[in-house]
Amino acid sequence: MPKKQVPMGQLASYLPDDTYEAVLAYLDHYKVHLTIARSRSSVLGDYRHRLNSEHHRISVNGNLNKYAFLITLLHELAHLVTFEQFGNKVSSHGREWKQHYGQLLAQFLQKKVFPGDIAAELQRSLHNPGASTCAEEGLQRILYRYDDRKQHHYLVEELPDGALFALPDGRVFKKGKKRTKRFECLEMKTGKLYLFSPVYEVYAPQN
């Protein structure tokens, strides 16, 4: 996936107001090589620990809104801090990572850099955060409110039952009933059933 290193002078444009100095301090302290990636459907960011004298490497998707960008960056920084302390001796999203991630989030919550709805949702998950923003549907749903909405794009849960929608790869689905947490959707070409998260964004021009 193509990535580009973000010049530190441009980093502020990806972040909420009044967070640049604090973020830059972390990047400088831990010698982080930060890159901006194009949109990736499977991950919002990733972390690679340093080898020998190389820098730690973090990438974050550049299409995220400012609040999602900061949260994703803090998520990856928590991996870095956990690795610095424990190496590979603990699980990637275990108790140690959750503790560091919670501490990082708490610092920025105290600065009141997030809108009230995002702050409230982060506060609820502070002591037991999910392994990814994508895994926390409540947070993902709220963050979506701050995206630049693309025409004819909706969350699956926003579509009426029976609505047709398409994925970027061209496959077309019909929205069906909701199971415990996900919607059962029929792929029109193959007749196969797939489960979709309610907060997955899809293209539905007829909605």
Side-chain angles (χ1 to χ4, degrees):
M1 178 59 63
K3 301 176 183 178
K4 62 178 181 179
Q5 184 175 10
V6 57
M8 290 301 100
Q10 296 180 14
L11 178 59
S13 65
Y14 291 93
L15 294 167
D17 294 341
D18 301 321
T19 62
Y20 171 74
E21 296 295 337
V23 168
L24 186 61
Y26 277 112
L27 299 181
D28 285 344
H29 177 75
Y30 289 107
K31 297 180 173 57
V32 177
H33 180 99
L34 177 65
T35 57
I36 303 301
R38 294 181 183 175
S39 175
R40 296 171 288 185
S41 59
S42 58
V43 295
L44 303 182
D46 61 33
Y47 163 67
R48 297 289 182 270
H49 64 77
R50 62 185 177 186
L51 297 173
N52 301 320
S53 60
E54 291 186 10
H55 289 183
H56 295 281
R57 294 179 177 272
I58 289 176
S59 73
V60 180
N61 291 4
N63 65 323
L64 301 178
N65 68 56
K66 294 182 178 184
Y67 305 112
F69 187 96
L70 175 59
I71 292 168
T72 302
L73 179 54
L74 295 180
H75 176 116
E76 304 306 335
L77 276 171
H79 282 301
L80 186 161
V81 177
T82 303
F83 179 82
E84 287 278 277
Q85 185 174 356
F86 299 101
N88 290 319
K89 297 178 182 179
V90 297
S91 62
S92 58
H93 293 104
R95 175 175 56 84
E96 297 81 5
W97 172 82
K98 290 181 179 182
Q99 180 179 8
H100 286 303
Y101 182 42
Q103 290 171 348
L104 287 169
L105 282 176
Q107 292 178 27
F108 285 86
L109 284 168
Q110 290 172 1
K111 296 176 183 292
K112 300 187 184 302
V113 301
F114 296 107
D117 52 356
I118 297 177
E121 190 64 30
L122 288 172
Q123 193 69 47
R124 277 192 284 273
S125 64
L126 200 58
H127 300 295
N128 189 31
S132 73
T133 304
C134 294
E136 298 184 77
E137 290 183 353
L139 177 59
Q140 192 178 356
R141 183 178 292 110
I142 293 171
L143 287 171
Y144 189 68
R145 299 172 186 170
Y146 296 88
D147 286 350
D148 293 328
R149 294 291 295 264
K150 293 172 286 187
Q151 188 176 24
H152 302 309
H153 283 74
Y154 306 89
L155 299 181
V156 171
E157 67 181 7
E158 294 176 329
L159 298 175
D161 291 345
L164 297 178
F165 63 86
L167 301 186
D169 62 9
R171 290 186 294 164
V172 177
F173 294 81
K174 178 186 288 187
K175 180 183 174 182
K177 63 182 180 180
K178 187 176 184 181
R179 292 191 181 178
T180 304
K181 292 184 177 181
R182 296 175 179 266
F183 285 96
E184 193 176 79
C185 300
L186 179 72
E187 185 181 5
M188 300 305 292
K189 184 175 181 179
T190 65
K192 293 182 179 179
L193 288 174
Y194 291 81
L195 295 178
F196 280 81
S197 164
V199 291
Y200 189 82
E201 187 184 54
V202 296
Y203 175 67
Q206 303 304 318
N207 186 53

